[in-house]
């Protein structure tokens, strides 16, 4: 997969392409359904296939007080796109100048002149251009005028529900990470550095790795206790674990903390990177009357999570991508 970064120099020698455009946050099943169609169209037309995306969410530039809740980092997005059959990914620098371009100007100056797009496949709900005031029929008309064929691809559904990044975000914010994984096609994950914690879990026999997420723009799942798989930096081994996201109410906590207890693991993880893959939320976070009550619940949580992970492993439901 070739990466074309328009932040650098003007690309040269680009072959005619069939392209699609969007943020592609999460590169979920709906995105990959669209990309497969683009690849098929390109091969049938003896052209290159291309995904055109942005280096940041356009809304972040247009609305300065808006805080993203992303499903993946830019690096992770490219990693996921590399798992498709797309020939190239073009990364556009979205700034205020680009935000002011009309759809027609964007199509002519960027898509046609710079990227040599000959056919543009639009997602079912995609809009671009200043104020996003123009729609599919306008894109078709502009394309006809400048030599780009514009077609629309239909939506991808899971169990009768249209898959979108907005749907996946809603599911994760509600703690429905198993359903979100079905829409993503892989387990939602967070990566972060292990930092010093409160050591309360160690006193209960459940030592935890406290992590700070590597990117503040990533979406944190709803508070609660989760069955997860953890992967330490420098290793590809996924280890069964449980994770608590919340404020530690039993200990009078207030700030949000992310704590991971890796089963049967006793190595020092301080200052190392840890990746966590979410399998299922098993309960909400709640306050206990004493540390002893909390410990009893944690033991039950661990047993439940072990059974869940064992079942998922037998069914081959645990996957890193």
């Amino acid at each position: 997969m070739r990466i074309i970064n328009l932040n650098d120099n003007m690309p040269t020698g680009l072959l005619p392409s069939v392209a699609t455009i969007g943020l592609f946050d999460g590169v979920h099943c709906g995105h990959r359904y669209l990309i497969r169609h683009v690849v098929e169209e390109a091969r049938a037309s003896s052209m290159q296939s291309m995904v055109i995306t942005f280096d940041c969410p356009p809304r972040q530039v247009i609305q300065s007080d808006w805080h993203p809740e992303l499903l993946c980092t830019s690096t992770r997005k490219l990693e996921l796109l590399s798992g498709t059959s797309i020939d190239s990914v073009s990364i556009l620098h979205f700034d205020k100048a680009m935000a002011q371009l009309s759809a027609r100007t964007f199509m002519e100056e960027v898509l046609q002149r710079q990227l040599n797009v000959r056919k543009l496949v639009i997602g079912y709900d995609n809009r671009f251009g200043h104020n996003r005031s123009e729609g599919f029929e306008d894109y078709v008309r502009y394309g006809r005028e400048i030599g780009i064929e514009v077609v629309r691809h239909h939506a991808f559904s899971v169990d009768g529900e249209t898959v979108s990044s907005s749907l996946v975000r809603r599911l994760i914010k509600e703690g429905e990470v198993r359903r979100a994984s079905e829409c993503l096609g892989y387990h939602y994950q967070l990566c972060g550095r292990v930092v010093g914690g409160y050591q309360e879990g160690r006193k209960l026999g459940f030592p935890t790795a406290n992590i700070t997420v590597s990117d503040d723009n990533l979406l944190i799942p709803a508070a609660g206790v989760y069955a997860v798989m953890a992967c330490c930096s420098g290793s590809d081994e996924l280890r069964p674990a449980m994770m608590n996201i919340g404020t530690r109410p039993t200990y009078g906590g207030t700030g949000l903390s992310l704590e991971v207890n890796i089963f049967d693991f006793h190595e020092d993880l301080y200052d190392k990177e840890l990746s966590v893959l979410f399998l299922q939320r098993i309960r909400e976070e709640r306050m206990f009357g004493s540390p002893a009550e909390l410990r009893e619940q944690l033991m039950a949580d661990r047993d439940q999570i072990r059974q869940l992970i064992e079942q998922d492993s037998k069914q081959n439901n645990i996957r890193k991508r």
Side-chain angles (χ1 to χ4, degrees):
M1 183 183 80
R2 178 184 179 184
I3 298 176
I4 304 164
N5 197 327
L6 292 191
N7 301 346
D8 302 329
N9 300 318
M10 179 76 72
T12 58
L14 291 183
L15 297 174
S17 67
V18 178
T20 187
I21 184 170
L23 184 59
F24 294 96
D25 184 27
V27 193
H28 52 63
C29 290
H31 291 143
R32 276 175 279 176
Y33 178 62
L34 172 62
I35 290 169
R36 283 196 298 272
H37 179 73
V38 169
V39 171
E40 291 168 0
E41 288 286 312
R43 289 174 177 171
S45 306
S46 298
M47 289 192 280
Q48 293 287 293
S49 59
M50 179 185 291
V51 163
I52 303 169
T53 189
F54 305 101
D55 60 358
C56 70
R59 185 177 172 185
Q60 196 172 10
V61 174
I62 298 169
Q63 190 177 334
S64 59
D65 60 346
W66 177 74
H67 181 75
E69 293 178 319
L70 299 178
L71 301 174
C72 66
T73 63
S74 297
T75 300
R76 174 68 171 157
K77 176 164 66 174
L78 290 177
E79 178 185 339
L80 290 166
L81 287 171
S82 71
T84 71
S85 299
I86 202 74
D87 292 317
S88 63
V89 174
S90 178
I91 304 171
L92 305 183
H93 174 55
F94 195 91
D95 54 16
K96 292 183 178 179
M98 182 170 286
Q100 292 301 314
L101 295 179
S102 67
R104 190 189 191 287
T105 301
F106 176 80
M107 290 176 66
E108 186 170 17
E109 293 187 0
V110 179
L111 301 188
Q112 183 201 50
R113 292 180 182 172
Q114 296 184 42
L115 297 176
N116 201 11
V117 174
R118 299 290 180 85
K119 186 170 186 176
L120 182 65
V121 182
I122 300 289
Y124 75 98
D125 62 346
N126 194 13
R127 286 176 177 264
F128 55 85
H130 180 57
N131 290 332
R132 297 173 64 181
S133 57
E134 296 145 306
F136 175 72
E137 297 303 326
D138 298 303
Y139 307 150
V140 171
R141 185 172 71 256
Y142 303 150
R144 190 179 300 117
E145 293 169 356
I146 63 178
I148 297 177
E149 180 185 0
V150 180
V151 296
R152 174 184 278 159
H153 194 51
H154 48 275
F156 179 81
S157 299
V158 171
D159 295 334
E161 192 165 22
T162 298
V163 175
S164 66
S165 297
S166 297
L167 170 63
V168 176
R169 290 189 197 99
R170 176 174 65 78
L171 291 170
I172 293 172
K173 291 171 80 169
E174 293 173 353
E176 297 290 339
V177 293
R178 184 174 288 274
R179 173 67 173 162
S181 296
E182 294 173 358
C183 296
L184 287 168
Y186 59 89
H187 297 295
Y188 184 65
Q189 73 176 57
L190 291 176
C191 300
R193 185 169 296 276
V194 179
V195 298
Y198 301 96
Q199 306 296 318
E200 301 293 353
R202 186 174 300 277
K203 297 175 185 176
L204 300 176
F206 290 86
T208 59
N210 297 266
I211 65 172
T212 52
V213 177
S214 56
D215 190 331
D216 290 339
N217 291 327
L218 288 175
L219 176 62
I220 305 297
V225 177
Y226 291 84
V228 301
M229 300 295 288
C231 182
C232 308
S233 58
S235 172
D236 290 329
E237 183 179 1
L238 292 174
R239 297 178 177 273
M242 65 179 174
M243 181 175 190
N244 184 78
I245 297 177
T247 59
R248 304 169 57 253
T250 303
Y251 294 96
T254 54
L256 186 69
S257 64
L258 289 74
E259 302 174 279
V260 184
N261 171 246
I262 305 176
F263 302 159
D264 307 318
F265 184 82
H266 307 289
E267 297 178 22
D268 181 16
L269 291 174
Y270 181 73
D271 209 32
K272 293 184 178 180
E273 292 291 324
L274 192 68
S275 297
V276 179
L277 282 63
F278 290 84
L279 306 183
Q280 183 171 317
R281 185 169 74 156
I282 63 168
R283 66 173 174 87
E284 297 179 351
E285 184 185 48
R286 64 178 185 267
M287 182 185 294
F288 293 88
S290 68
E293 288 184 20
L294 172 57
R295 183 176 186 279
E296 184 176 351
Q297 180 62 57
L298 291 176
M299 293 174 66
D301 293 340
R302 182 174 58 189
D303 290 343
Q304 180 181 350
I305 290 172
R306 283 189 189 276
Q307 293 176 12
L308 187 151
I309 291 176
E310 182 179 358
Q311 181 179 2
D312 276 4
S313 296
K314 288 180 179 179
Q315 296 175 353
N316 202 28
N317 288 334
I318 297 176
R319 52 200 182 277
K320 195 168 184 180
R321 175 177 294 176

